[in-house]
Amino acid sequence: LARGSMSAGQTAPCSHAASPCPQRVRTATARIPRCLWLVVSLCTRQAEASKDEVLTKEIVFKLQESISGPEEAVHQLSTEASLVGVKRVHGHGGRFEERHLQHGLHLWYTAKTSGLTSSALKILQSHTSLVSTAAVVPAARLAAVPDDPRYSEQRHHQALEMESAWAITGGAANVVVAIIDTGVDMNHPDLRRNQWINAGEVCGNGIDDDNNGYVDDCRGYNFADGTGTSLEGDGNHGSHCAGIVGADTGNGVGVAGTAGGSKSSAGVSLMHLTVFGNTGTGGFAKALVYAADMGAAVASNSWGYTSPGVSDPSVLDAIDYFNADGGGGRTAGGGLTVFAAGNDGTNDEWYPAFYSGAVAVAATDDNFHRASFTNYGAWVD
């Protein structure tokens, strides 16, 4: 989400991930404060993709709302399109299930293909009475970041005159920021205080105490590895981004978070949602829905797809869900979903940041000039 200094109008989704998406319609973005640009732009350097392919063998599709028997429809589609491992993108939402049903989240399914992906996709798209949209799931990648633990080199704070802002507030614990990334090092010395706690969950008892559909999600959830007890996934990228947002400030250790509080008070509460895990990558849509359901005001996403013009429509729908139902009562009209624009140095349609429902953040230097490596264009906020 530009470089940091810590290690620690509406368009419809694409119906075919390999085809160009509709042009994005932008509205005025003057409402976005400069300090928010900072929080979400300090991880922009895109890493090389772990795989060369743009698209995976996974397909996502959404059933028509008019279908009365989804099981029968799924069986028919699975047989004709040679789909395997068909399952709902979003599991049962527990106490949030009624809200999920109202938004249509229960209609999203994902599956692998046993044959040609393109053939399966054409079959799904031909069943317009059963399927409203279908796409191949694009491969996702993180944004790489440098390692710099010294506050004296956090020039972005000086450039933005953050000390004047901190004189007013350093952040508030009742504002929850979801870090959708690689998880977090829970033992990091500069990430001790500003941690979100799920008060309705008893840690480690193997029970979904708060009936939200997840077990032992005391500090967040690892969607990639399917666990609530081990949140640290693949690498320290998530710890870095969490530190940029809310590293403990005024504690005499490491660096200062943008909204990390002060010596005498806590900053924002960091909710850790792992989508780049130790055993796999995934759960992007589920993480956004979880963040909304559990009261996050901001969803910080320092990742994107490996090629422009492709998207996962279930993720775009989850962005809409977060924007409508997130916020935790701390932001007017729902939550704020933020994405890194990416770092390929092009003016292309880099999703999910390109999506009209996302706040797209690019990289600048200390003089607020566009960094040479950043993606750019009218779609960037």
Side-chain angles (χ1 to χ4, degrees):
L1 274 167
R3 279 175 277 186
S5 54
M6 182 178 178
S7 60
Q10 186 83 11
T11 54
C14 302
S15 61
H16 193 311
S19 301
C21 292
Q23 288 298 312
R24 189 182 203 224
V25 178
R26 269 295 180 190
T27 56
T29 58
R31 64 183 179 85
I32 303 171
R34 184 188 289 178
C35 60
L36 177 60
W37 294 9
L38 170 70
V39 172
V40 299
S41 69
L42 290 175
C43 298
T44 45
R45 211 62 212 249
Q46 292 280 5
E48 292 297 322
S50 58
K51 297 180 180 180
D52 290 335
E53 71 257 17
V54 172
L55 304 176
T56 66
K57 292 277 286 185
E58 184 179 0
I59 285 181
V60 63
F61 62 93
K62 186 178 184 180
L63 298 178
Q64 294 284 5
E65 294 183 5
S66 58
I67 291 179
S68 57
E71 295 83 5
E72 182 179 345
V74 168
H75 178 72
Q76 177 184 343
L77 295 169
S78 299
T79 301
E80 295 187 20
S82 300
L83 303 180
V84 294
V86 181
K87 60 182 179 180
R88 280 176 53 173
V89 171
H90 306 279
H92 192 279
R95 60 192 169 101
F96 300 108
E97 182 66 5
E98 183 176 352
R99 188 162 75 179
H100 291 189
L101 292 173
Q102 291 175 351
H103 192 82
L105 296 180
H106 64 296
L107 300 173
W108 284 105
Y109 285 81
T110 183
K112 302 289 186 179
T113 60
S114 59
L116 292 175
T117 305
S118 58
S119 299
L121 190 62
K122 288 181 180 178
I123 292 173
L124 290 175
Q125 292 174 336
S126 70
H127 283 284
T128 56
S129 63
L130 301 178
V131 178
S132 64
T133 185
V136 180
V137 177
R141 62 180 175 184
L142 284 167
V145 294
D147 180 3
D148 185 358
R150 294 165 299 221
Y151 172 71
S152 62
E153 296 184 17
Q154 290 183 277
R155 298 189 305 273
H156 48 277
H157 285 325
Q158 287 73 42
L160 287 167
E161 301 180 1
M162 285 303 298
E163 292 183 9
S164 297
W166 291 332
I168 301 173
T169 180
N174 59 7
V175 176
V176 180
V177 179
I179 310 297
I180 302 177
D181 211 281
T182 66
V184 66
D185 176 6
M186 297 304 294
N187 296 315
H188 194 285
D190 219 9
L191 291 171
R192 298 287 179 84
R193 180 181 59 187
N194 298 329
Q195 300 298 320
W196 174 75
I197 298 176
N198 182 1
E201 196 76 2
V202 177
C203 301
N205 68 350
I207 300 173
D208 179 13
D209 302 282
D210 62 349
N211 188 30
N212 69 345
Y214 297 93
V215 174
D216 292 334
D217 55 320
C218 292
R219 301 293 180 90
Y221 197 78
N222 184 336
F223 295 91
D225 299 322
T227 176
T229 58
S230 178
L231 300 182
E232 189 169 13
D234 183 16
N236 62 5
H237 187 272
S239 296
H240 169 91
C241 291
I244 290 170
V245 175
D248 299 349
T249 302
N251 63 343
V253 176
V255 299
T258 305
S262 65
K263 191 177 185 67
S264 59
S265 62
V268 295
S269 296
L270 302 172
M271 176 190 291
H272 304 289
L273 306 179
T274 309
V275 290
F276 293 90
N278 292 305
T279 62
T281 298
F284 301 99
K286 288 190 285 188
L288 284 161
V289 169
Y290 177 97
D293 288 343
M294 300 306 291
V298 179
S300 175
N301 298 267
S302 183
W303 59 272
Y305 299 125
T306 58
S307 183
V310 296
S311 66
D312 179 342
S314 69
V315 171
L316 305 188
D317 192 44
I319 292 174
D320 291 340
Y321 182 83
F322 185 87
N323 292 345
D325 294 307
R330 303 301 171 187
T331 53
L336 190 65
T337 310
V338 183
F339 273 90
N343 301 279
D344 298 87
T346 69
N347 181 13
D348 291 316
E349 300 174 3
W350 291 96
Y351 282 84
F354 184 84
Y355 183 52
S356 60
V359 176
V361 179
T364 71
D365 60 22
D366 294 339
N367 295 314
F368 306 108
H369 298 143
R370 177 169 63 87
S372 61
F373 55 81
T374 191
N375 291 336
Y376 60 92
W379 55 275
V380 173
D381 294 289

mmCIF file of all heavy atoms in Angstrom, residues 6 16-17 26 36 38 40 53 59 77 79 140 147 149 159 179 185 194 259 303 315 317 361 377:
data_model
loop_
_atom_site.group_PDB
_atom_site.id
_atom_site.type_symbol
_atom_site.label_atom_id
_atom_site.label_comp_id
_atom_site.label_asym_id
_atom_site.label_seq_id
_atom_site.Cartn_x
_atom_site.Cartn_y
_atom_site.Cartn_z
ATOM 1 N N MET A 6 9.132 0.191 7.981
ATOM 2 C CA MET A 6 9.032 -0.714 9.118
ATOM 3 C C MET A 6 8.982 -2.145 8.633
ATOM 4 O O MET A 6 8.349 -2.461 7.643
ATOM 5 C CB MET A 6 7.767 -0.424 9.927
ATOM 6 C CG MET A 6 7.652 -1.316 11.152
ATOM 7 S SD MET A 6 6.210 -0.916 12.111
ATOM 8 C CE MET A 6 6.375 -2.152 13.390
ATOM 9 N N HIS A 16 -15.981 -12.032 -17.690
ATOM 10 C CA HIS A 16 -14.888 -12.902 -18.130
ATOM 11 C C HIS A 16 -13.589 -12.268 -17.687
ATOM 12 O O HIS A 16 -13.229 -11.201 -18.132
ATOM 13 C CB HIS A 16 -14.918 -13.075 -19.655
ATOM 14 C CG HIS A 16 -14.031 -14.196 -20.132
ATOM 15 N ND1 HIS A 16 -12.732 -14.336 -19.738
ATOM 16 C CD2 HIS A 16 -14.292 -15.238 -20.964
ATOM 17 C CE1 HIS A 16 -12.198 -15.393 -20.321
ATOM 18 N NE2 HIS A 16 -13.116 -15.962 -21.064
ATOM 19 N N ALA A 17 -12.877 -12.965 -16.814
ATOM 20 C CA ALA A 17 -11.693 -12.365 -16.205
ATOM 21 C C ALA A 17 -10.598 -12.055 -17.203
ATOM 22 O O ALA A 17 -9.747 -11.226 -16.949
ATOM 23 C CB ALA A 17 -11.149 -13.289 -15.122
ATOM 24 N N ARG A 26 -15.280 7.719 -12.161
ATOM 25 C CA ARG A 26 -14.776 8.277 -10.923
ATOM 26 C C ARG A 26 -15.566 9.504 -10.513
ATOM 27 O O ARG A 26 -15.998 10.289 -11.347
ATOM 28 C CB ARG A 26 -13.299 8.682 -11.066
ATOM 29 C CG ARG A 26 -12.338 7.569 -10.674
ATOM 30 C CD ARG A 26 -12.474 7.256 -9.222
ATOM 31 N NE ARG A 26 -11.559 6.193 -8.835
ATOM 32 C CZ ARG A 26 -11.628 5.608 -7.674
ATOM 33 N NH1 ARG A 26 -12.532 5.933 -6.800
ATOM 34 N NH2 ARG A 26 -10.775 4.663 -7.362
ATOM 35 N N LEU A 36 -4.720 9.939 5.116
ATOM 36 C CA LEU A 36 -5.195 8.630 4.720
ATOM 37 C C LEU A 36 -4.406 8.130 3.525
ATOM 38 O O LEU A 36 -4.089 6.954 3.425
ATOM 39 C CB LEU A 36 -6.687 8.684 4.388
ATOM 40 C CG LEU A 36 -7.302 7.369 3.889
ATOM 41 C CD1 LEU A 36 -7.132 6.292 4.951
ATOM 42 C CD2 LEU A 36 -8.768 7.559 3.558
ATOM 43 N N LEU A 38 -1.401 8.592 3.061
ATOM 44 C CA LEU A 38 -0.163 8.075 3.623
ATOM 45 C C LEU A 38 -0.364 6.671 4.173
ATOM 46 O O LEU A 38 0.383 5.754 3.854
ATOM 47 C CB LEU A 38 0.334 8.994 4.740
ATOM 48 C CG LEU A 38 1.490 8.430 5.574
ATOM 49 C CD1 LEU A 38 2.744 8.382 4.720
ATOM 50 C CD2 LEU A 38 1.715 9.263 6.810
ATOM 51 N N VAL A 40 -2.379 4.367 3.511
ATOM 52 C CA VAL A 40 -2.629 3.308 2.560
ATOM 53 C C VAL A 40 -1.635 3.282 1.406
ATOM 54 O O VAL A 40 -1.759 2.461 0.512
ATOM 55 C CB VAL A 40 -4.055 3.425 1.992
ATOM 56 C CG1 VAL A 40 -5.064 3.290 3.093
ATOM 57 C CG2 VAL A 40 -4.235 4.732 1.255
ATOM 58 N N GLU A 53 1.608 -17.402 -14.415
ATOM 59 C CA GLU A 53 0.309 -17.319 -15.038
ATOM 60 C C GLU A 53 -0.515 -16.188 -14.444
ATOM 61 O O GLU A 53 -0.384 -15.842 -13.292
ATOM 62 C CB GLU A 53 -0.456 -18.638 -14.893
ATOM 63 C CG GLU A 53 -0.922 -18.929 -13.480
ATOM 64 C CD GLU A 53 -0.059 -19.952 -12.796
ATOM 65 O OE1 GLU A 53 1.052 -20.190 -13.273
ATOM 66 O OE2 GLU A 53 -0.508 -20.498 -11.774
ATOM 67 N N ILE A 59 -12.478 -21.192 -10.704
ATOM 68 C CA ILE A 59 -13.563 -20.407 -11.275
ATOM 69 C C ILE A 59 -14.498 -19.959 -10.158
ATOM 70 O O ILE A 59 -14.748 -20.701 -9.200
ATOM 71 C CB ILE A 59 -14.344 -21.223 -12.324
ATOM 72 C CG1 ILE A 59 -13.532 -21.334 -13.617
ATOM 73 C CG2 ILE A 59 -15.703 -20.607 -12.631
ATOM 74 C CD1 ILE A 59 -14.221 -22.107 -14.723
ATOM 75 N N LEU A 77 -24.655 -27.625 -13.073
ATOM 76 C CA LEU A 77 -23.514 -26.870 -13.574
ATOM 77 C C LEU A 77 -22.210 -27.635 -13.387
ATOM 78 O O LEU A 77 -21.329 -27.626 -14.260
ATOM 79 C CB LEU A 77 -23.435 -25.514 -12.873
ATOM 80 C CG LEU A 77 -24.593 -24.548 -13.144
ATOM 81 C CD1 LEU A 77 -24.523 -23.358 -12.190
ATOM 82 C CD2 LEU A 77 -24.565 -24.072 -14.590
ATOM 83 N N THR A 79 -21.789 -30.857 -13.321
ATOM 84 C CA THR A 79 -21.733 -31.975 -14.270
ATOM 85 C C THR A 79 -21.392 -31.490 -15.671
ATOM 86 O O THR A 79 -20.502 -32.042 -16.336
ATOM 87 C CB THR A 79 -23.082 -32.713 -14.286
ATOM 88 O OG1 THR A 79 -23.381 -33.195 -12.968
ATOM 89 C CG2 THR A 79 -23.038 -33.885 -15.254
ATOM 90 N N ALA A 140 -3.152 -13.522 -7.426
ATOM 91 C CA ALA A 140 -2.918 -12.309 -6.636
ATOM 92 C C ALA A 140 -1.475 -12.268 -6.164
ATOM 93 O O ALA A 140 -0.798 -13.287 -6.054
ATOM 94 C CB ALA A 140 -3.860 -12.270 -5.436
ATOM 95 N N ASP A 147 13.052 -2.431 4.401
ATOM 96 C CA ASP A 147 13.156 -2.649 5.842
ATOM 97 C C ASP A 147 13.890 -1.460 6.465
ATOM 98 O O ASP A 147 15.074 -1.292 6.265
ATOM 99 C CB ASP A 147 13.909 -3.957 6.092
ATOM 100 C CG ASP A 147 14.069 -4.252 7.571
ATOM 101 O OD1 ASP A 147 13.548 -3.478 8.391
ATOM 102 O OD2 ASP A 147 14.716 -5.269 7.888
ATOM 103 N N PRO A 149 13.746 0.457 10.297
ATOM 104 C CA PRO A 149 13.086 0.571 11.597
ATOM 105 C C PRO A 149 13.276 1.900 12.319
ATOM 106 O O PRO A 149 12.820 2.042 13.450
ATOM 107 C CB PRO A 149 13.765 -0.560 12.385
ATOM 108 C CG PRO A 149 15.149 -0.589 11.846
ATOM 109 C CD PRO A 149 15.013 -0.270 10.370
ATOM 110 N N ALA A 159 7.027 15.125 6.015
ATOM 111 C CA ALA A 159 6.455 15.719 4.811
ATOM 112 C C ALA A 159 4.974 16.054 5.001
ATOM 113 O O ALA A 159 4.479 17.052 4.482
ATOM 114 C CB ALA A 159 6.633 14.775 3.625
ATOM 115 N N ILE A 179 -6.243 -5.274 8.479
ATOM 116 C CA ILE A 179 -5.064 -5.422 7.629
ATOM 117 C C ILE A 179 -5.196 -6.759 6.902
ATOM 118 O O ILE A 179 -4.985 -7.827 7.487
ATOM 119 C CB ILE A 179 -3.767 -5.385 8.455
ATOM 120 C CG1 ILE A 179 -3.741 -4.171 9.387
ATOM 121 C CG2 ILE A 179 -2.554 -5.401 7.531
ATOM 122 C CD1 ILE A 179 -3.747 -2.837 8.676
ATOM 123 N N ASP A 185 3.194 -10.722 13.037
ATOM 124 C CA ASP A 185 4.041 -11.296 14.085
ATOM 125 C C ASP A 185 3.493 -10.809 15.419
ATOM 126 O O ASP A 185 3.708 -9.662 15.810
ATOM 127 C CB ASP A 185 5.486 -10.844 13.882
ATOM 128 C CG ASP A 185 6.412 -11.309 14.990
ATOM 129 O OD1 ASP A 185 5.961 -12.078 15.871
ATOM 130 O OD2 ASP A 185 7.587 -10.901 14.981
ATOM 131 N N ASN A 194 -1.753 -1.945 20.175
ATOM 132 C CA ASN A 194 -2.878 -1.573 19.305
ATOM 133 C C ASN A 194 -3.464 -2.778 18.579
ATOM 134 O O ASN A 194 -3.549 -2.806 17.355
ATOM 135 C CB ASN A 194 -2.425 -0.510 18.302
ATOM 136 C CG ASN A 194 -1.964 0.756 18.983
ATOM 137 O OD1 ASN A 194 -2.453 1.117 20.045
ATOM 138 N ND2 ASN A 194 -1.010 1.443 18.372
ATOM 139 N N ALA A 259 -1.364 6.114 12.954
ATOM 140 C CA ALA A 259 -2.448 6.268 13.933
ATOM 141 C C ALA A 259 -2.182 5.353 15.112
ATOM 142 O O ALA A 259 -3.060 4.635 15.583
ATOM 143 C CB ALA A 259 -3.796 5.962 13.296
ATOM 144 N N TRP A 303 -2.327 -5.434 -1.818
ATOM 145 C CA TRP A 303 -2.163 -6.526 -2.776
ATOM 146 C C TRP A 303 -3.010 -6.236 -4.006
ATOM 147 O O TRP A 303 -3.868 -5.368 -3.990
ATOM 148 C CB TRP A 303 -2.578 -7.869 -2.162
ATOM 149 C CG TRP A 303 -4.006 -7.920 -1.697
ATOM 150 C CD1 TRP A 303 -4.487 -7.563 -0.472
ATOM 151 C CD2 TRP A 303 -5.154 -8.323 -2.459
ATOM 152 N NE1 TRP A 303 -5.849 -7.713 -0.426
ATOM 153 C CE2 TRP A 303 -6.293 -8.184 -1.635
ATOM 154 C CE3 TRP A 303 -5.331 -8.779 -3.777
ATOM 155 C CZ2 TRP A 303 -7.582 -8.485 -2.067
ATOM 156 C CZ3 TRP A 303 -6.616 -9.085 -4.212
ATOM 157 C CH2 TRP A 303 -7.721 -8.935 -3.354
ATOM 158 N N VAL A 315 -14.892 -10.780 -5.164
ATOM 159 C CA VAL A 315 -14.143 -9.811 -4.364
ATOM 160 C C VAL A 315 -14.733 -8.418 -4.532
ATOM 161 O O VAL A 315 -14.882 -7.665 -3.566
ATOM 162 C CB VAL A 315 -12.646 -9.821 -4.753
ATOM 163 C CG1 VAL A 315 -11.904 -8.663 -4.092
ATOM 164 C CG2 VAL A 315 -12.007 -11.144 -4.360
ATOM 165 N N ASP A 317 -17.791 -7.728 -5.205
ATOM 166 C CA ASP A 317 -19.048 -7.744 -4.459
ATOM 167 C C ASP A 317 -18.783 -7.602 -2.966
ATOM 168 O O ASP A 317 -19.528 -6.923 -2.241
ATOM 169 C CB ASP A 317 -19.800 -9.036 -4.745
ATOM 170 C CG ASP A 317 -21.241 -9.006 -4.251
ATOM 171 O OD1 ASP A 317 -21.924 -7.986 -4.463
ATOM 172 O OD2 ASP A 317 -21.683 -9.996 -3.646
ATOM 173 N N VAL A 361 -4.712 3.967 -4.098
ATOM 174 C CA VAL A 361 -3.614 4.796 -3.603
ATOM 175 C C VAL A 361 -2.320 4.463 -4.331
ATOM 176 O O VAL A 361 -1.910 3.303 -4.385
ATOM 177 C CB VAL A 361 -3.417 4.591 -2.087
ATOM 178 C CG1 VAL A 361 -2.251 5.445 -1.585
ATOM 179 C CG2 VAL A 361 -4.691 4.961 -1.340
ATOM 180 N N GLY A 377 -3.088 7.173 -13.140
ATOM 181 C CA GLY A 377 -4.225 7.397 -14.016
ATOM 182 C C GLY A 377 -5.353 8.114 -13.286
ATOM 183 O O GLY A 377 -5.293 8.319 -12.063
#
